[in-house]
Amino acid sequence: MSTELKRGLEGVVVAESDLSYIDGDAGELIYRGYAIEELAREASYEETLYLLWHGELPTDAELTEFSQQMATARELDDGLLDIIRELADSGEEPMAALRTITSALSAYDPDSDAEFNDTEANNRKSRRITAKMPTALAAYNRLRNGNEPVAPREELSHAANFLYMLNDEEPDDVLAETFDMALVLHADHGLNASTFAAMVTASTLADLHSAVTSAIGTLSGSLHGGANADVMRMLQAIDDDELDPVAWVKDAIDRGERIAGFGHRVYNVKDPRAKILGEESEALGEAAGDTKWYEMSVAIEDYISEEKGLAPNVDFYSATTYYQMGIPIDLYTPIFAIARSGGWIAHVLEQWEDNRLIRPRAKYTGDTDAEFVPLDER
């Protein structure tokens, strides 16, 4: 056994996957052979889910059937709504609430006792989990604000339906398409921390709900999923104090602070998802007649890229994109989760195709010959 230490498993290859490929030097992201730029612009989130789960893009008939299956799975049981109401009343923070809700989904899933290798049951559970998470998140947000949940509508797309349930108002085509694009961009990204957590859980033959719940807990950490909210709060602070964004960033760096939204474990150049969301952020600002958030972001990006050699990741421009869509800041990471659920599930299903318990070793650095002293002599 090799005793070479790889902190954070950096650079360690632990699995083979057909799902997504990242070229960190070229700034490329591919889902099952398709460039992310093409999928984001041309494919819906439902098409992307089908691609990840079934290995190929759907035909028109297959997409119609799949989308209908997803739509009919959106509604929540009354018991689950009671749980969501309690979480909202207690003031639970959004990611913790989503984690608890996702775990509770298994109590209402008719396939909850299916074997891990039951393909049809896994397909049904995959659709239910991914379809119900947005409904649950929207209901939680409305309840914590003193409003009743809005029931899902089957005729709306996955993206449009979430915005409708969140605001009790059907979104226009621009907002729906922008949000759909954001979901596609966040659907999968190799063996990131939350995906690996889901795989570790699944490798024990725990159920699909447990694996997704593990992933949500992992995503909740500030080093993984919370950067987009931190980016927006930073921009708000700069705007509130009417400061020059570059001067603010310089002072923050001098104080030893880390600027959220920059750097990536895999990418050595600009995250391709950031390029796309940057364009969307600019377009939303232009449509609203105020591009200040985009302009502030570009100024910060130019400075950090030139002075520190760091490029923005997906979180940097998703922040202003979501903000200009009117989405509450503390929902940014839960939205990341409802998008990434598709990728988590795809990796779990792939793990089960040829499962082996994931069980690494640690390099022991403690004593090996300590002398035991009886309790009455210590």
Side-chain angles (χ1 to χ4, degrees):
M1 181 187 75
S2 173
T3 58
E4 182 183 3
L5 180 62
K6 296 276 190 175
R7 292 198 178 277
L9 298 181
E10 184 168 2
V12 177
V13 177
V14 298
E16 294 180 328
S17 177
D18 294 333
L19 294 168
S20 59
Y21 168 74
I22 305 166
D23 187 327
D25 293 324
E28 295 179 351
L29 172 60
I30 294 171
Y31 295 171
R32 289 198 183 273
Y34 297 93
I36 193 60
E37 292 83 359
E38 187 171 23
L39 290 173
R41 299 293 184 191
E42 303 295 335
S44 66
Y45 184 66
E46 286 89 336
E47 287 178 84
T48 303
L49 282 180
Y50 193 98
L51 172 66
L52 290 173
W53 292 352
H54 298 288
E56 58 187 6
L57 288 169
T59 64
D60 185 65
E62 289 170 337
L63 179 61
T64 298
E65 180 183 14
F66 179 75
S67 297
Q68 184 59 39
Q69 290 171 332
M70 288 286 294
T72 56
R74 290 172 181 158
E75 288 192 10
L76 303 177
D77 292 89
D78 290 341
L80 193 65
L81 283 169
D82 290 340
I83 293 172
I84 297 171
R85 192 177 300 274
E86 289 184 16
L87 291 167
D89 290 345
S90 72
E92 182 68 287
E93 68 94 22
M95 275 298 280
L98 186 62
R99 181 199 64 219
T100 301
I101 293 164
T102 303
S103 179
L105 283 173
S106 67
Y108 303 92
D109 195 308
D111 290 305
S112 60
D113 59 351
E115 294 295 325
F116 79 97
N117 56 357
D118 185 333
T119 300
E120 291 305 314
N122 284 333
N123 288 339
R124 292 190 293 269
K125 286 196 286 186
S126 299
R127 293 193 295 266
R128 292 187 193 112
I129 291 171
T130 307
K132 293 179 189 299
M133 283 174 64
T135 308
L137 180 61
Y140 156 83
N141 185 66
R142 291 188 61 79
L143 286 166
R144 69 171 177 166
N145 289 310
N147 302 311
E148 285 301 303
V150 174
R153 284 169 47 184
E154 289 189 16
E155 74 274 14
L156 294 178
S157 70
H158 193 76
N161 185 66
F162 174 73
L163 296 177
Y164 165 70
M165 293 187 297
L166 192 67
N167 301 313
D168 195 16
E169 179 180 340
E170 186 173 341
D172 62 34
D173 290 344
V174 172
L175 290 182
E177 290 170 5
T178 300
F179 190 65
D180 185 87
M181 183 182 298
L183 295 180
V184 171
L185 292 171
H186 285 87
D188 195 40
H189 205 247
L191 296 196
N192 54 83
S194 56
T195 297
F196 188 60
M199 291 173 61
V200 171
T201 300
S203 79
T204 72
L205 300 187
D207 68 289
L208 189 57
H209 290 84
S210 295
V212 175
T213 302
S214 293
I216 294 172
T218 306
L219 185 67
S220 68
S222 62
L223 291 183
H224 187 10
N228 50 12
D230 292 338
V231 169
M232 198 62 232
R233 293 188 182 105
M234 172 186 70
L235 294 174
Q236 283 183 318
I238 296 171
D239 186 59
D240 289 343
D241 293 336
E242 299 181 350
L243 299 173
D244 175 75
V246 173
W248 190 96
V249 167
K250 287 180 179 179
D251 290 342
I253 292 174
D254 289 342
R255 294 192 299 269
E257 297 178 12
R258 181 177 178 273
I259 306 302
F262 284 86
H264 196 278
R265 179 66 71 86
V266 179
Y267 292 114
N268 299 315
V269 294
K270 187 171 182 176
D271 187 328
R273 301 167 299 174
K275 293 180 181 178
I276 297 170
L277 286 174
E279 294 171 0
E280 294 305 307
S281 177
E282 181 181 22
L284 288 173
E286 290 176 346
D290 184 2
T291 58
K292 71 174 182 180
W293 299 115
Y294 174 74
E295 291 170 1
M296 290 169 63
S297 300
V298 170
I300 293 171
E301 176 188 352
D302 289 345
Y303 172 73
I304 294 182
S305 296
E306 292 173 7
E307 297 297 322
K308 303 298 178 181
L310 294 174
N313 55 46
V314 67
D315 296 312
F316 190 65
Y317 283 105
S318 66
T320 53
T321 300
Y322 292 156
Y323 188 78
Q324 292 176 99
M325 295 176 70
I327 296 173
I329 293 175
D330 64 356
L331 293 190
Y332 293 2
T333 306
I335 286 171
F336 192 157
I338 67 175
R340 184 59 57 82
S341 63
W344 291 333
I345 289 169
H347 282 273
V348 167
L349 299 179
E350 189 176 60
Q351 172 70 28
W352 283 339
E353 289 175 2
D354 185 23
N355 188 63
R356 182 170 174 78
L357 177 67
I358 297 174
R359 204 288 189 195
R361 297 281 298 274
K363 184 177 182 179
Y364 180 68
T365 59
D367 293 334
T368 58
D369 58 355
E371 182 179 352
F372 183 81
V373 178
L375 180 61
D376 59 358
E377 296 179 18
R378 294 178 207 160

